[in-house]
Amino acid sequence: MSFLPLAHALSARDDLPVPAWLFAWAASIVLIVSFFALAAGWRSPRFEQWRERPLGEGLSRVLLGLPAQVTYGLIGIFLLGFSIYAGLEGTVAPERNFTLTFLFVTCWLGFPFFSAIFGDLFRPFNPWRAIGRATGAGFGAIAGQRSAHLAYPEKLGRWPAAIGLLAVVWLEVVYGAGGIGIDPHTTAVAALIYSGYTLAMMAAFGVEEWCERGEIFSVYFGMFARLGIFHASDGRLQRRPPLAATTTWATIPGSAAVVLASIAATSYDGAAEGAVKDPISSAAEWLIDQGVGPVASIRLTETAFMLLCFGAVTLVYMLGVRGMRTVPGAPSLAKLRVGFSHSLIPIALAYLVAHYFSLFVFQEQAQFGYLLSDPLGTGTTNLFGTASWEVDYKVISTNAIWYVQVGSLVVGHVMGLMLAHDRALAYWSDYRKATASQYWMLAVMVAFTCFGLYLLSVANG
Amino acid sequence: MRHAKKLIVAMLALVAAVALVACGDSDDSTGTTGGKSATVTGEFVTLAEAPASDFQIMGKAELDRSKGTVLSISVSGLEPKTRYIAHLHTGGCDQADPGGPHFQFEKGGSEEPPNEIHLRFTSNGAGEGKATASSEREVPVGEAGSVVIHRDDSDEMTSFEAGEAEAETIFVHEGVDHAKEGGGHGGGKAEPEHAHSDKLACAELEGAAAAEGGSSAGGDVPTIVVRDGEPVGGVAELEFDAGEEVRFRVRSDEAEEIHVHGYDLAKNVPAGGTVEFAFPAELEGIYEAELEQQGAQIVELQINP
């Protein structure tokens, strides 16, 4: 698989490709479900108007009070600091160093998975936000006034986060590819650079403003968190219907780019070792023949394919949006483009689950086993007595992995259809026109879902 | 509900299309049964004893056992418009006499087809050649060691086009000392005359396994030959079903440690030596085996449920 270079570096095991019969069944189910959704869809929006219901006051005070907030922030800062330290000081062996598994598996996959159920879990632990808020509070106490910020250019919207998201995946998948493998040291240096950049941006534009728009991890994890059912606002813990909060997510420019980048990044990672493995290696060989160094050739080629992947995913979505524009009474192209992007969030999540679920299950055993007791990989420390634990690859069967992979794509597809159908009913008062517009979104989603299934069936080539 | 009808028709059409695609897929998969592939392939490597050094023979040999035996080769880098002959040998390319003795269905029997497998061909103007030979009999697993190409200097009158190997080939066996090396396979007949000149190129099929395994017992154990820190012929893809015994050998020209990931097994191999792995396939998934010191992958081990 391997599949993906990172999984290669961390996990000894790659997933088996989904067998053809399962691929066929899943694709058939997707198509049948899609057409029935069109034929029998509801006629008035269901997700667009939603209300939060506050939970118990005592619970909110304990979980959201200032002492709790400070604690979360300190935990976040400690873990970031420790990751940088372990990356710089620990072993260079990727699978034996705490840092890579913690940052690229536990956080990078764990926050989307769990936030999609429970709501935004990253926000309280965000170390940069914690530092920014503490600094702001300190400044306020000393200067007696709130710090002034530059006005964030509204047009820039979430574009910094979208580009940053591609950059993170690039670092993870492309930079480390070609047999070099991303090492803990590089990751720690990247984390340091990113910390400096983020704190500078927070100082310039304000902590919350930057978290909402430019801070890669807040935006990315926050996007999946919109699917989840808990939300903290006005100092109270609130409950909200699942999926509903996605409807208000894409109000900031560049949001569509974030969700498309997410789908593109995951599919590129899946395709690089399977579907486009041969084109990548022949293109890289061609570059080597032209006199470009071997490592540079592989990185250049992979970068090009990754951008191509982003371009292709964007093109498919834009075709769907253009198609909807042909339905009488359609809003402007720009409004459609922004307005339907949230319906891709469940599909982006499904891609993540399909591609990384097994890696997460196996690698978390390492995280809470030997990496916890021997974070630097020295072989001499055993903090919690778990240093000799190894990963049990029998904890889930191959069949179980296949069903989770395929199941997540099918469920994500259905959720996406529901959100898109709902949005169409909000844009077209006539429900027949709304349904007609959904032929287009349906085609987009069937394309994404079947492409996702295809990637699974050829994974690890 | 006019809409619904149209939709259902379209839906059925699409489902049918998907089913067709899927079925097409499953037809494609070449008959891999019980973890052994019906075809064995090897890459031609120019031999050190080949006379001219300004050309490099490249190409592929493929042995297909799905129906009798079909041996086909496709070679480039030959001299243009020249007659060549290739034989199926029982030994590996790494032997002192590359390939060892010719393969024979009846050991010690006729040295001509159909008892041996020969491929005659004439290269085209670009120095490329292709040939296929087939037999209704199946070459036993482990005995298809390698394919060796020579220039065809026999006085045969017929000019052969690339294509089916002919039965009326004049063939004289190499030499008695070499015949012994194949682990007792060959007929071992000493006939000093050479009807064709030096060996030019050799493609390894199952030769390494046969050479190491000696007699028939270890004949079907795949052997990965490592030369200069790289697996000859690329990363070997081995496929087993869960519960079977995973068995393979690694021969290396340098001392190395071979590490099977996931199963976390490691064995040292001395320079020029061979090490054998044999363990039950209890973990499903795809795992790597690599040269631990160089970090180079040599095997992709796929365990199917």
Side-chain angles (χ1 to χ4, degrees):
Chain A
M1 206 193 53
S2 234
F3 115 132
L4 50 169
L6 180 79
H8 258 335
L10 292 180
S11 175
R13 185 193 170 283
D14 279 343
D15 283 336
L16 289 164
V18 167
W21 62 266
L22 185 56
F23 170 79
W25 272 109
S28 308
I29 290 170
V30 163
L31 293 174
I32 292 168
V33 164
S34 306
F35 282 100
F36 275 105
L38 268 193
W42 53 91
R43 297 186 180 192
S44 57
R46 293 192 177 177
F47 291 108
E48 300 283 335
Q49 263 97 49
W50 52 278
R51 286 216 338 260
E52 294 183 331
R53 282 187 302 119
L55 291 169
E57 209 167 328
L59 186 72
S60 294
R61 209 173 305 128
V62 172
L63 287 178
L64 302 179
L66 190 64
Q69 290 188 36
V70 171
T71 311
Y72 300 144
L74 285 174
I75 292 173
I77 294 168
F78 169 75
L79 287 171
L80 175 69
F82 185 75
S83 297
I84 292 171
Y85 164 74
L88 294 176
E89 295 296 321
T91 173
V92 291
E95 77 281 7
R96 286 277 154 189
N97 191 306
F98 176 87
T99 300
L100 281 187
T101 295
F102 182 71
L103 294 181
F104 282 123
V105 181
T106 307
C107 293
W108 184 246
L109 301 176
F111 277 118
F113 290 170
F114 290 105
S115 295
I117 301 169
F118 298 110
D120 202 339
L121 298 174
F122 179 64
R123 198 174 142 91
F125 292 101
N126 184 341
W128 305 292
R129 179 169 171 266
I131 295 171
R133 289 177 73 198
T135 314
F139 179 86
I142 294 162
Q145 59 176 46
R146 299 188 59 172
S147 47
H149 296 298
L150 301 173
Y152 185 82
E154 196 48 43
K155 271 195 171 171
L156 211 54
R158 285 188 171 129
W159 276 102
I163 293 163
L165 174 59
L166 288 175
V168 172
V169 178
W170 182 87
L171 180 77
E172 178 189 344
V173 180
V174 176
Y175 184 80
I180 323 135
I182 181 137
D183 61 286
H185 192 269
T186 313
T187 308
V189 172
L192 272 176
I193 294 171
Y194 182 73
S195 298
Y197 157 78
T198 300
L199 294 175
M201 287 300 169
M202 283 177 168
F205 299 115
V207 173
E208 299 300 344
E209 183 83 358
W210 185 248
C211 281
E212 186 68 14
R213 289 167 168 77
E215 206 274 290
I216 303 166
F217 305 97
S218 299
V219 171
Y220 182 59
F221 300 149
M223 171 179 85
F224 294 114
R226 295 282 180 144
L227 299 164
I229 53 170
F230 295 112
H231 182 225
S233 68
D234 308 328
R236 281 290 286 273
L237 201 60
Q238 319 262 353
R239 244 209 89 168
R240 65 193 180 194
L243 310 191
T246 55
T247 53
T248 52
W249 173 71
T251 45
I252 298 171
S255 299
V258 175
V259 67
L260 291 169
S262 169
I263 292 178
T266 315
S267 29
Y268 173 74
D269 198 2
E273 287 276 307
V276 296
K277 188 182 184 180
D278 293 338
I280 286 179
S281 51
S282 41
E285 272 165 31
W286 182 82
L287 276 178
I288 292 171
D289 287 344
Q290 305 306 304
V292 185
V295 173
S297 295
I298 293 170
R299 283 185 186 152
L300 271 174
T301 316
E302 297 217 334
T303 307
F305 271 86
M306 192 174 145
L307 291 176
L308 218 63
C309 200
F310 180 57
V313 167
T314 307
L315 186 73
V316 170
Y317 179 64
M318 294 309 283
L319 284 176
V321 167
R322 281 216 164 262
M324 282 193 284
R325 186 80 180 85
T326 60
V327 176
S332 73
L333 210 56
K335 190 174 175 189
L336 284 171
R337 188 177 62 223
V338 173
F340 281 88
S341 55
H342 71 288
S343 66
L344 299 180
I345 298 176
I347 293 181
L349 179 70
Y351 266 54
L352 274 189
V353 175
H355 285 277
Y356 302 117
F357 160 76
S358 67
L359 175 70
F360 190 76
V361 168
F362 294 129
Q363 209 51 33
E364 283 315 286
Q365 299 178 41
Q367 179 75 84
F368 290 100
Y370 60 83
L371 291 177
L372 200 63
S373 276
D374 185 12
L376 302 188
T378 55
T380 51
T381 36
N382 194 351
L383 298 175
F384 303 98
T386 58
S388 60
W389 289 16
E390 289 297 336
V391 178
D392 178 6
Y393 291 107
K394 284 198 257 188
V395 75
I396 34 171
S397 72
T398 302
N399 278 303
I401 295 173
W402 283 338
Y403 288 124
V404 170
Q405 289 181 320
V406 169
S408 69
L409 282 176
V410 173
V411 170
H413 180 82
V414 171
M415 288 179 177
L417 282 182
M418 283 160 54
L419 289 173
H421 183 82
D422 218 54
R423 181 51 54 91
L425 291 172
Y427 282 178
W428 284 273
S429 46
D430 179 355
Y431 111 94
R432 268 164 304 189
K433 280 182 188 143
T435 304
S437 78
Q438 287 315 289
Y439 283 110
W440 294 95
M441 275 316 280
L442 188 89
V444 169
M445 291 192 186
V446 168
F448 282 147
T449 304
C450 288
F451 179 60
L453 286 169
Y454 166 73
L455 287 180
L456 290 181
S457 73
V458 295
N460 319 331
Chain B
M1 290 311 281
R2 264 181 315 128
H3 240 45
K5 251 186 208 164
K6 252 197 252 168
L7 282 171
I8 286 165
V9 170
M11 174 190 84
L12 288 177
L14 271 164
V15 170
V18 169
L20 275 176
V21 168
C23 291
D25 267 2
S26 55
D27 283 350
D28 281 353
S29 56
T30 35
T32 46
T33 43
K36 270 176 291 169
S37 172
T39 59
V40 201
T41 58
E43 301 265 337
F44 277 105
V45 182
T46 309
L47 291 166
E49 58 203 275
S53 57
D54 57 335
F55 67 103
Q56 190 76 26
I57 297 176
M58 286 175 14
K60 253 179 99 168
E62 186 176 297
L63 186 96
D64 187 349
R65 287 195 182 92
S66 52
K67 210 176 149 196
T69 304
V70 179
L71 177 65
S72 45
I73 60 171
S74 155
V75 199
S76 64
L78 302 165
E79 278 181 45
K81 304 211 187 269
T82 308
R83 284 158 60 203
Y84 289 92
I85 183 162
H87 307 110
L88 180 66
H89 289 244
T90 58
C93 295
D94 278 2
Q95 300 190 9
D97 171 37
H102 286 184
F103 168 78
Q104 296 187 317
F105 286 107
E106 308 282 352
K107 313 269 187 286
S110 159
E111 288 168 350
E112 285 172 20
N115 195 40
E116 295 193 349
I117 296 184
H118 297 184
L119 301 99
R120 290 194 148 195
F121 60 98
T122 305
S123 56
N124 65 13
E128 296 161 347
K130 276 187 184 174
T132 302
S134 54
S135 169
E136 287 169 8
R137 303 172 66 181
E138 188 176 303
V139 175
V141 173
E143 292 191 23
S146 57
V147 179
V148 180
I149 299 180
H150 315 249
R151 196 195 275 256
D152 185 6
D153 295 337
S154 65
D155 295 326
E156 197 69 20
M157 286 298 108
T158 339
S159 84
F160 290 95
E161 290 303 315
E164 286 292 301
E166 302 287 324
E168 63 271 33
T169 309
I170 295 178
F171 172 71
V172 180
H173 205 279
E174 286 293 298
V176 69
D177 49 337
H178 305 136
K180 283 179 185 153
E181 286 194 12
H185 282 312
K189 285 199 176 161
E191 304 214 10
E193 277 172 82
H194 285 230
H196 39 256
S197 55
D198 291 335
K199 294 177 175 178
L200 300 176
C202 182
E204 187 91 41
L205 293 173
E206 295 162 336
E212 298 298 331
S215 60
S216 55
D220 57 350
V221 178
T223 297
I224 293 90
V225 179
V226 177
R227 212 178 287 148
D228 300 329
E230 279 186 33
V232 173
V235 174
E237 292 179 8
L238 303 179
E239 210 176 323
F240 296 89
D241 290 336
E244 286 185 344
E245 186 183 46
V246 177
R247 231 177 134 194
F248 64 91
R249 300 193 178 113
V250 181
R251 180 151 51 128
S252 173
D253 58 345
E254 295 164 28
E256 253 291 1
E257 185 188 345
I258 316 294
H259 183 204
V260 183
H261 286 263
Y263 289 84
D264 218 16
L265 301 167
K267 282 187 178 179
N268 288 314
V269 56
T274 302
V275 68
E276 176 167 321
F277 285 91
F279 52 91
E282 52 186 18
L283 304 178
E284 296 163 4
I286 297 175
Y287 303 90
E288 280 184 8
E290 62 172 25
L291 305 174
E292 195 62 11
Q293 283 155 39
Q294 315 205 32
Q297 188 186 356
I298 56 172
V299 176
E300 185 179 285
L301 184 62
Q302 178 167 342
I303 311 295
N304 295 317

